[in-house]
Amino acid sequence: MLTASEGINSLKAPFVGLIEVYKTIMIFVDEVTIDVKAGTGGNGAVAFRKEKYVPHGGPAGGDGGKGGDVILLADSNLSTLLDFRFQRLYAAEKGVDGASKDMYGKAAKDLILKVPIGTVATDLDTGRVVADLTTHAQEKIIAHGGRGGKGNAHFASSTHQAPRYAENGEPGHSLSVKLELKLLADVGLIGYPNVGKSSLIAAVSAAKPKVANYPFTTLIPNLGVVKVDDDPTHTFVMADIPGLIEGASEGIGLGIQFLRHVERTRLLVHILDIGGQTGRDPLEDYRLINIELANYSQKLADLPQLIALNKIDIAEEDLITLYTEHFDELGLATYPISAATGEGTKPLLFAISTRLQEIPRHVPASDEVTYINTRNTASGLRQSRRGRDWVIAKGEAEDEYVVSGASIERLVAMTPMENEHAVTRLQRILERNGVVTKLKALGAKDGDSVRIGSIAFDYIDEDFEEDDDL
Ligand SMILES: Nc1nc2c(ncn2[C@@H]2O[C@H](COP(=O)(O)OP(=O)(O)OP(=O)(O)O)[C@@H](O)[C@H]2O)c(=O)[nH]1
Ligand SMILES: [Mg+2]
């Protein structure tokens, strides 16, 4: 039975532990979701060379400047994504509007977001990796600023010498991105809690992780540089992560949020405690942890593994032989070691270094991704080879139609609606591209509402009007 004071102490210990976990997780933020918005382009200007609205003076409205991009920049001075916890939206500035006398608006400054090396950014809508930064000072545009609207000087032609419209700036690209910090180590140490992972990294590198005789001592990953010999190409980075237990892939223990850190290693060292002091079966631990790896991702399960049988300084001789033979039969290279005394660690390190030289390095995912930026053509709408790139659907209300498509929505967003000449031009482009005919075919009636992007228009049936005039 517990005495009163023992009872309090045994309650206090896990409580203190929880606060520790909480504090550590607060410091080591390795996943955040943010919204980024690149700057809208500056508006094009409507201006004439000599006097306003004297057509023969010639149009002289300058273009707007480009909106700012949102850029991720890898910085080796940062180690967490913590700063992003306190702000959700990051928006770059709008380009400066064009002015008269053909003056271009200035491009806006880009918004640069510094992130730690190893940050991977994923577009939450498409699931595509938009940045994967692996070296200091590497940068990647994740949201492109809109181009500046064209000033009226651009729209002059032989038949239309005095255009009184200009474009508004193109809206900047916006997206929600998940930022994840994935450590870039060559080899990852995995194993049940308390098997001696931190002891090993402490023994073979300059890393100074906490080592203690209870599970979940390690709360955040530790990295250590391991120098095997004088050849710098043999040197590698080792990651020690918190211990894994059954259910780790579903979030039990601390495992899941750290598995991503070993996902990008090239090799795993699976550490088993054969010291015989815990009452656990190392083979069962080995089996359970491999199931967790496979449940987390096939990629993790497919990583090559070396086996390190730890604590041989206190293990029974015949158990060392038994386990070594067991894994040898499975075709797994097995190394009996003692992280405490250093015995056997040299052959393990050489084996790691040799294996790493056979395994190619991580290829940053975003190198394979090209950003596809659609641009309006002179006639206003981009026509894909497969035909038009817009669709019309019935809206929620009975008399409402919704026209959607990236380039048509951009065209509308870039039309200054307060400028009747610009609206007339928009009308013409919509007619020329078949939007009006299609609306009519779908049964649009005079007075119905047509929504394109964020703007609602009234549908005016010209035949109907003509009839009215009769
Ligand atoms: N006798 C002996 N004890 C060891 C050896 N390696 C580690 N230990 C002890 O085992 C206990 C756990 O070691 P850690 O290195 O903290 O284990 P871990 O795997 O990092 O544990 P978690 O961080 O909780 O997952 C400590 O008391 C170590 O001193 C070894 O080779 N021999
Ligand atoms: Mg540890």
Side-chain angles (χ1 to χ4, degrees), residues 196-340:
K197 299 178 296 298
S198 303
S199 302
L200 178 63
I201 202 170
V204 300
S205 76
K208 300 256 176 300
K210 187 171 165 191
V211 168
N213 196 12
Y214 53 83
F216 302 118
T217 309
T218 301
L219 303 175
I220 59 169
N222 301 297
L223 288 186
V225 177
V226 182
K227 200 167 167 272
V228 182
D229 52 28
D230 288 339
D231 184 341
T233 66
H234 295 171
T235 296
F236 57 84
V237 178
M238 182 181 263
D240 163 36
I241 64 163
L244 300 171
I245 56 172
E246 188 172 10
S249 60
E250 289 148 27
I252 299 179
L254 295 171
I256 190 157
Q257 61 160 326
F258 298 109
L259 281 173
R260 76 165 70 100
H261 295 299
V262 283
E263 208 179 7
R264 306 218 294 184
T265 60
R266 292 182 281 152
L267 178 66
L268 298 175
V269 174
H270 201 144
I271 303 190
L272 300 172
D273 177 353
I274 61 161
Q277 310 241 300
T278 59
R280 298 194 61 85
D281 175 0
L283 297 184
E284 182 63 5
D285 288 349
Y286 171 76
R287 194 180 69 82
L288 290 178
I289 285 177
N290 280 333
I291 292 174
E292 294 310 322
L293 297 184
N295 286 346
Y296 182 77
S297 86
Q298 193 54 43
K299 201 174 148 214
L300 257 189
D302 289 343
L303 281 178
Q305 287 189 14
L306 298 181
I307 309 292
L309 304 172
N310 191 29
K311 309 196 187 179
I312 55 167
D313 53 303
I314 54 165
E316 288 175 27
E317 273 303 322
D318 43 351
L319 277 183
I320 303 174
T321 318
L322 187 84
Y323 289 128
T324 309
E325 280 172 8
H326 172 81
F327 287 108
D328 279 348
E329 274 168 29
L330 292 176
L332 290 158
T334 308
Y335 298 85
I337 61 162
S338 169

Side-chain angles (χ1 to χ4, degrees), residues 14 20 48 71 112 143 201 216 246 260 295 345 366 396 414:
E20 277 292 305
F48 292 91
I71 297 175
I112 294 177
I201 202 170
F216 302 118
E246 188 172 10
R260 76 165 70 100
N295 286 346
T345 53
S366 57
E396 270 168 27
M414 293 177 77

Side-chain angles (χ1 to χ4, degrees), residues 392-455:
I392 304 182
K394 282 288 280 179
E396 270 168 27
E398 173 55 27
D399 50 3
E400 188 191 38
Y401 293 85
V402 180
V403 186
S404 46
S407 56
I408 196 165
E409 286 173 33
R410 187 183 309 116
L411 171 73
V412 168
M414 293 177 77
T415 302
M417 295 299 164
E418 69 288 352
N419 178 331
E420 59 172 296
H421 306 283
V423 175
T424 306
R425 169 179 177 260
L426 171 66
Q427 172 87 29
R428 278 206 313 273
I429 295 172
L430 295 182
E431 278 168 12
R432 192 156 64 225
N433 284 277
V435 179
V436 178
T437 316
K438 184 74 187 173
L439 280 167
K440 199 178 169 77
L442 287 171
K445 308 178 307 298
D446 204 57
D448 283 357
S449 170
V450 177
R451 197 157 56 73
I452 309 179
S454 60
I455 311 268

Side-chain angles (χ1 to χ4, degrees), residues 40 43 131 247 379 389 396 416 420 432:
T40 300
N43 297 335
S379 70
D389 62 353
E396 270 168 27
E420 59 172 296
R432 192 156 64 225

